[in-house]
mmCIF file of all heavy atoms in Angstrom:
data_model
loop_
_atom_site.group_PDB
_atom_site.id
_atom_site.type_symbol
_atom_site.label_atom_id
_atom_site.label_comp_id
_atom_site.label_asym_id
_atom_site.label_seq_id
_atom_site.Cartn_x
_atom_site.Cartn_y
_atom_site.Cartn_z
ATOM 1 N N ASP J 1 -21.005 -40.295 243.820
ATOM 2 C CA ASP J 1 -20.041 -39.329 244.334
ATOM 3 C C ASP J 1 -19.630 -39.661 245.762
ATOM 4 O O ASP J 1 -20.143 -40.596 246.380
ATOM 5 C CB ASP J 1 -20.628 -37.920 244.280
ATOM 6 C CG ASP J 1 -20.679 -37.358 242.882
ATOM 7 O OD1 ASP J 1 -20.121 -37.992 241.955
ATOM 8 O OD2 ASP J 1 -21.280 -36.281 242.702
ATOM 9 N N SER J 2 -18.708 -38.863 246.285
ATOM 10 C CA SER J 2 -18.189 -39.055 247.629
ATOM 11 C C SER J 2 -18.335 -37.792 248.462
ATOM 12 O O SER J 2 -18.355 -36.676 247.932
ATOM 13 C CB SER J 2 -16.710 -39.442 247.584
ATOM 14 O OG SER J 2 -16.511 -40.673 246.926
ATOM 15 N N LEU J 3 -18.429 -37.972 249.756
ATOM 16 C CA LEU J 3 -18.412 -36.888 250.729
ATOM 17 C C LEU J 3 -17.641 -37.349 251.946
ATOM 18 O O LEU J 3 -17.615 -38.543 252.255
ATOM 19 C CB LEU J 3 -19.822 -36.506 251.175
ATOM 20 C CG LEU J 3 -20.673 -35.606 250.299
ATOM 21 C CD1 LEU J 3 -22.070 -35.493 250.916
ATOM 22 C CD2 LEU J 3 -20.045 -34.223 250.154
ATOM 23 N N ARG J 4 -17.036 -36.405 252.644
ATOM 24 C CA ARG J 4 -16.434 -36.703 253.927
ATOM 25 C C ARG J 4 -17.062 -35.823 254.988
ATOM 26 O O ARG J 4 -16.973 -34.597 254.928
ATOM 27 C CB ARG J 4 -14.918 -36.496 253.926
ATOM 28 C CG ARG J 4 -14.272 -37.037 255.212
ATOM 29 C CD ARG J 4 -12.775 -36.950 255.219
ATOM 30 N NE ARG J 4 -12.303 -35.612 255.570
ATOM 31 C CZ ARG J 4 -11.099 -35.353 256.058
ATOM 32 N NH1 ARG J 4 -10.226 -36.346 256.239
ATOM 33 N NH2 ARG J 4 -10.755 -34.110 256.331
ATOM 34 N N LEU J 5 -17.690 -36.451 255.958
ATOM 35 C CA LEU J 5 -18.265 -35.745 257.079
ATOM 36 C C LEU J 5 -17.247 -35.653 258.209
ATOM 37 O O LEU J 5 -16.436 -36.555 258.412
ATOM 38 C CB LEU J 5 -19.510 -36.461 257.593
ATOM 39 C CG LEU J 5 -20.618 -36.752 256.576
ATOM 40 C CD1 LEU J 5 -21.806 -37.395 257.285
ATOM 41 C CD2 LEU J 5 -21.032 -35.484 255.853
ATOM 42 N N SER J 6 -17.316 -34.555 258.944
ATOM 43 C CA SER J 6 -16.467 -34.362 260.107
ATOM 44 C C SER J 6 -17.327 -34.103 261.328
ATOM 45 O O SER J 6 -18.419 -33.545 261.226
ATOM 46 C CB SER J 6 -15.514 -33.178 259.905
ATOM 47 O OG SER J 6 -14.638 -33.404 258.823
ATOM 48 N N CYS J 7 -16.825 -34.501 262.466
ATOM 49 C CA CYS J 7 -17.479 -34.239 263.741
ATOM 50 C C CYS J 7 -16.425 -33.686 264.684
ATOM 51 O O CYS J 7 -15.527 -34.424 265.110
ATOM 52 C CB CYS J 7 -18.095 -35.517 264.296
ATOM 53 S SG CYS J 7 -18.801 -35.339 265.949
ATOM 54 N N ALA J 8 -16.530 -32.412 264.994
ATOM 55 C CA ALA J 8 -15.584 -31.751 265.886
ATOM 56 C C ALA J 8 -16.117 -31.774 267.310
ATOM 57 O O ALA J 8 -17.267 -31.406 267.549
ATOM 58 C CB ALA J 8 -15.346 -30.318 265.426
ATOM 59 N N ALA J 9 -15.280 -32.184 268.236
ATOM 60 C CA ALA J 9 -15.664 -32.307 269.636
ATOM 61 C C ALA J 9 -14.935 -31.288 270.489
ATOM 62 O O ALA J 9 -13.780 -30.956 270.233
ATOM 63 C CB ALA J 9 -15.366 -33.713 270.146
ATOM 64 N N SER J 10 -15.624 -30.815 271.510
ATOM 65 C CA SER J 10 -15.015 -29.905 272.466
ATOM 66 C C SER J 10 -15.659 -30.111 273.829
ATOM 67 O O SER J 10 -16.727 -30.708 273.942
ATOM 68 C CB SER J 10 -15.168 -28.451 272.021
ATOM 69 O OG SER J 10 -16.539 -28.082 271.954
ATOM 70 N N GLY J 11 -15.008 -29.608 274.869
ATOM 71 C CA GLY J 11 -15.563 -29.648 276.210
ATOM 72 C C GLY J 11 -14.921 -30.663 277.145
ATOM 73 O O GLY J 11 -14.825 -30.421 278.344
ATOM 74 N N ARG J 12 -14.505 -31.780 276.607
ATOM 75 C CA ARG J 12 -13.839 -32.819 277.376
ATOM 76 C C ARG J 12 -12.828 -33.532 276.491
ATOM 77 O O ARG J 12 -12.833 -33.367 275.269
ATOM 78 C CB ARG J 12 -14.842 -33.820 277.947
ATOM 79 C CG ARG J 12 -15.731 -33.264 279.045
ATOM 80 C CD ARG J 12 -14.939 -33.008 280.323
ATOM 81 N NE ARG J 12 -15.782 -32.548 281.410
ATOM 82 C CZ ARG J 12 -16.076 -31.274 281.658
ATOM 83 N NH1 ARG J 12 -15.598 -30.315 280.863
ATOM 84 N NH2 ARG J 12 -16.849 -30.957 282.686
ATOM 85 N N THR J 13 -12.012 -34.344 277.114
ATOM 86 C CA THR J 13 -10.977 -35.060 276.376
ATOM 87 C C THR J 13 -11.603 -36.024 275.382
ATOM 88 O O THR J 13 -12.286 -36.977 275.760
ATOM 89 C CB THR J 13 -10.057 -35.815 277.332
ATOM 90 O OG1 THR J 13 -9.482 -34.897 278.262
ATOM 91 C CG2 THR J 13 -8.940 -36.514 276.570
ATOM 92 N N PHE J 14 -11.360 -35.780 274.109
ATOM 93 C CA PHE J 14 -11.971 -36.548 273.042
ATOM 94 C C PHE J 14 -11.622 -38.027 273.123
ATOM 95 O O PHE J 14 -12.460 -38.894 272.854
ATOM 96 C CB PHE J 14 -11.538 -35.958 271.701
ATOM 97 C CG PHE J 14 -12.121 -36.640 270.507
ATOM 98 C CD1 PHE J 14 -13.479 -36.624 270.267
ATOM 99 C CD2 PHE J 14 -11.293 -37.297 269.609
ATOM 100 C CE1 PHE J 14 -14.017 -37.240 269.157
ATOM 101 C CE2 PHE J 14 -11.813 -37.914 268.486
ATOM 102 C CZ PHE J 14 -13.180 -37.892 268.259
ATOM 103 N N SER J 15 -10.393 -38.315 273.496
ATOM 104 C CA SER J 15 -9.937 -39.699 273.519
ATOM 105 C C SER J 15 -10.644 -40.549 274.569
ATOM 106 O O SER J 15 -10.509 -41.771 274.558
ATOM 107 C CB SER J 15 -8.420 -39.759 273.735
ATOM 108 O OG SER J 15 -8.066 -39.166 274.978
ATOM 109 N N ASN J 16 -11.382 -39.934 275.472
ATOM 110 C CA ASN J 16 -12.131 -40.668 276.483
ATOM 111 C C ASN J 16 -13.433 -41.256 275.953
ATOM 112 O O ASN J 16 -14.105 -41.997 276.675
ATOM 113 C CB ASN J 16 -12.467 -39.771 277.674
ATOM 114 C CG ASN J 16 -11.260 -39.422 278.524
ATOM 115 O OD1 ASN J 16 -11.323 -38.505 279.332
ATOM 116 N ND2 ASN J 16 -10.168 -40.141 278.349
ATOM 117 N N TYR J 17 -13.803 -40.930 274.716
ATOM 118 C CA TYR J 17 -15.114 -41.288 274.202
ATOM 119 C C TYR J 17 -15.056 -42.235 273.020
ATOM 120 O O TYR J 17 -14.271 -42.044 272.087
ATOM 121 C CB TYR J 17 -15.872 -40.030 273.770
ATOM 122 C CG TYR J 17 -16.176 -39.099 274.908
ATOM 123 C CD1 TYR J 17 -15.275 -38.106 275.265
ATOM 124 C CD2 TYR J 17 -17.357 -39.224 275.628
ATOM 125 C CE1 TYR J 17 -15.541 -37.256 276.323
ATOM 126 C CE2 TYR J 17 -17.630 -38.374 276.683
ATOM 127 C CZ TYR J 17 -16.720 -37.393 277.029
ATOM 128 O OH TYR J 17 -16.991 -36.549 278.068
ATOM 129 N N GLY J 18 -15.910 -43.240 273.081
ATOM 130 C CA GLY J 18 -16.224 -43.971 271.875
ATOM 131 C C GLY J 18 -17.154 -43.116 271.030
ATOM 132 O O GLY J 18 -17.913 -42.302 271.556
ATOM 133 N N MET J 19 -17.110 -43.297 269.732
ATOM 134 C CA MET J 19 -17.861 -42.434 268.828
ATOM 135 C C MET J 19 -18.668 -43.249 267.829
ATOM 136 O O MET J 19 -18.314 -44.386 267.506
ATOM 137 C CB MET J 19 -16.917 -41.509 268.062
ATOM 138 C CG MET J 19 -16.061 -40.610 268.934
ATOM 139 S SD MET J 19 -17.034 -39.346 269.807
ATOM 140 C CE MET J 19 -17.606 -38.348 268.428
ATOM 141 N N GLY J 20 -19.721 -42.633 267.333
ATOM 142 C CA GLY J 20 -20.530 -43.296 266.333
ATOM 143 C C GLY J 20 -21.198 -42.316 265.390
ATOM 144 O O GLY J 20 -21.314 -41.124 265.684
ATOM 145 N N TRP J 21 -21.611 -42.826 264.248
ATOM 146 C CA TRP J 21 -22.412 -42.083 263.282
ATOM 147 C C TRP J 21 -23.769 -42.767 263.131
ATOM 148 O O TRP J 21 -23.845 -44.001 263.015
ATOM 149 C CB TRP J 21 -21.737 -42.025 261.906
ATOM 150 C CG TRP J 21 -20.563 -41.112 261.824
ATOM 151 C CD1 TRP J 21 -19.246 -41.458 261.891
ATOM 152 C CD2 TRP J 21 -20.597 -39.696 261.619
ATOM 153 N NE1 TRP J 21 -18.460 -40.350 261.747
ATOM 154 C CE2 TRP J 21 -19.256 -39.251 261.582
ATOM 155 C CE3 TRP J 21 -21.617 -38.763 261.468
ATOM 156 C CZ2 TRP J 21 -18.916 -37.909 261.399
ATOM 157 C CZ3 TRP J 21 -21.280 -37.427 261.290
ATOM 158 C CH2 TRP J 21 -19.946 -37.017 261.261
ATOM 159 N N PHE J 22 -24.814 -41.954 263.124
ATOM 160 C CA PHE J 22 -26.172 -42.411 262.858
ATOM 161 C C PHE J 22 -26.775 -41.520 261.788
ATOM 162 O O PHE J 22 -26.281 -40.429 261.521
ATOM 163 C CB PHE J 22 -27.030 -42.355 264.124
ATOM 164 C CG PHE J 22 -26.630 -43.351 265.176
ATOM 165 C CD1 PHE J 22 -25.517 -43.141 265.975
ATOM 166 C CD2 PHE J 22 -27.373 -44.506 265.361
ATOM 167 C CE1 PHE J 22 -25.152 -44.060 266.939
ATOM 168 C CE2 PHE J 22 -27.016 -45.440 266.331
ATOM 169 C CZ PHE J 22 -25.898 -45.210 267.119
ATOM 170 N N ARG J 23 -27.843 -41.983 261.191
ATOM 171 C CA ARG J 23 -28.539 -41.159 260.207
ATOM 172 C C ARG J 23 -30.040 -41.340 260.344
ATOM 173 O O ARG J 23 -30.526 -42.358 260.823
ATOM 174 C CB ARG J 23 -28.087 -41.486 258.781
ATOM 175 C CG ARG J 23 -28.431 -42.892 258.318
ATOM 176 C CD ARG J 23 -27.776 -43.177 256.979
ATOM 177 N NE ARG J 23 -28.135 -44.480 256.448
ATOM 178 C CZ ARG J 23 -27.612 -45.003 255.351
ATOM 179 N NH1 ARG J 23 -26.693 -44.335 254.660
ATOM 180 N NH2 ARG J 23 -28.002 -46.199 254.934
ATOM 181 N N GLN J 24 -30.767 -40.331 259.890
ATOM 182 C CA GLN J 24 -32.213 -40.369 259.991
ATOM 183 C C GLN J 24 -32.837 -39.659 258.799
ATOM 184 O O GLN J 24 -32.577 -38.482 258.562
ATOM 185 C CB GLN J 24 -32.681 -39.718 261.289
ATOM 186 C CG GLN J 24 -34.159 -39.892 261.565
ATOM 187 C CD GLN J 24 -34.521 -39.545 262.992
ATOM 188 O OE1 GLN J 24 -33.820 -38.781 263.650
ATOM 189 N NE2 GLN J 24 -35.598 -40.119 263.476
ATOM 190 N N ALA J 25 -33.641 -40.391 258.062
ATOM 191 C CA ALA J 25 -34.389 -39.832 256.952
ATOM 192 C C ALA J 25 -35.774 -39.422 257.439
ATOM 193 O O ALA J 25 -36.268 -39.957 258.442
ATOM 194 C CB ALA J 25 -34.505 -40.852 255.822
ATOM 195 N N PRO J 26 -36.429 -38.485 256.756
ATOM 196 C CA PRO J 26 -37.763 -38.052 257.191
ATOM 197 C C PRO J 26 -38.733 -39.216 257.316
ATOM 198 O O PRO J 26 -38.836 -40.056 256.419
ATOM 199 C CB PRO J 26 -38.192 -37.095 256.080
ATOM 200 C CG PRO J 26 -36.911 -36.564 255.528
ATOM 201 C CD PRO J 26 -35.962 -37.730 255.592
ATOM 202 N N GLY J 27 -39.426 -39.276 258.437
ATOM 203 C CA GLY J 27 -40.405 -40.320 258.656
ATOM 204 C C GLY J 27 -39.845 -41.669 259.027
ATOM 205 O O GLY J 27 -40.611 -42.628 259.160
ATOM 206 N N LYS J 28 -38.539 -41.770 259.202
ATOM 207 C CA LYS J 28 -37.914 -43.034 259.541
ATOM 208 C C LYS J 28 -37.178 -42.928 260.871
ATOM 209 O O LYS J 28 -36.858 -41.839 261.339
ATOM 210 C CB LYS J 28 -36.947 -43.467 258.443
ATOM 211 C CG LYS J 28 -37.593 -43.636 257.083
ATOM 212 C CD LYS J 28 -36.632 -44.181 256.055
ATOM 213 C CE LYS J 28 -36.256 -45.616 256.344
ATOM 214 N NZ LYS J 28 -35.390 -46.186 255.279
ATOM 215 N N GLU J 29 -36.915 -44.066 261.453
ATOM 216 C CA GLU J 29 -36.209 -44.094 262.727
ATOM 217 C C GLU J 29 -34.724 -43.831 262.517
ATOM 218 O O GLU J 29 -34.189 -43.999 261.415
ATOM 219 C CB GLU J 29 -36.422 -45.439 263.422
ATOM 220 C CG GLU J 29 -35.803 -46.611 262.683
ATOM 221 C CD GLU J 29 -36.087 -47.937 263.362
ATOM 222 O OE1 GLU J 29 -36.882 -47.959 264.316
ATOM 223 O OE2 GLU J 29 -35.512 -48.954 262.935
ATOM 224 N N ARG J 30 -34.079 -43.424 263.580
ATOM 225 C CA ARG J 30 -32.645 -43.202 263.518
ATOM 226 C C ARG J 30 -31.924 -44.530 263.304
ATOM 227 O O ARG J 30 -32.177 -45.514 264.003
ATOM 228 C CB ARG J 30 -32.158 -42.525 264.795
ATOM 229 C CG ARG J 30 -30.720 -42.055 264.721
ATOM 230 C CD ARG J 30 -30.432 -41.006 265.791
ATOM 231 N NE ARG J 30 -31.217 -39.796 265.592
ATOM 232 C CZ ARG J 30 -31.067 -38.688 266.283
ATOM 233 N NH1 ARG J 30 -30.148 -38.617 267.231
ATOM 234 N NH2 ARG J 30 -31.847 -37.639 266.035
#
């Protein structure tokens, strides 16, 4: 199956930031 995750930003100009996705499973490193 498929999913789409979203990340909403606020507080400062979004375009000023590089962005990334990380994941972490139980007992494992990020």
Side-chain angles (χ1 to χ4, degrees):
D1 286 352
S2 297
L3 280 175
R4 190 176 81 158
L5 305 183
S6 298
C7 175
S10 63
R12 291 290 183 271
T13 303
F14 181 64
S15 61
N16 289 165
Y17 296 89
M19 301 292 294
W21 287 99
F22 292 77
R23 65 188 183 186
Q24 188 166 24
K28 301 185 69 176
E29 66 183 8
R30 189 161 296 187

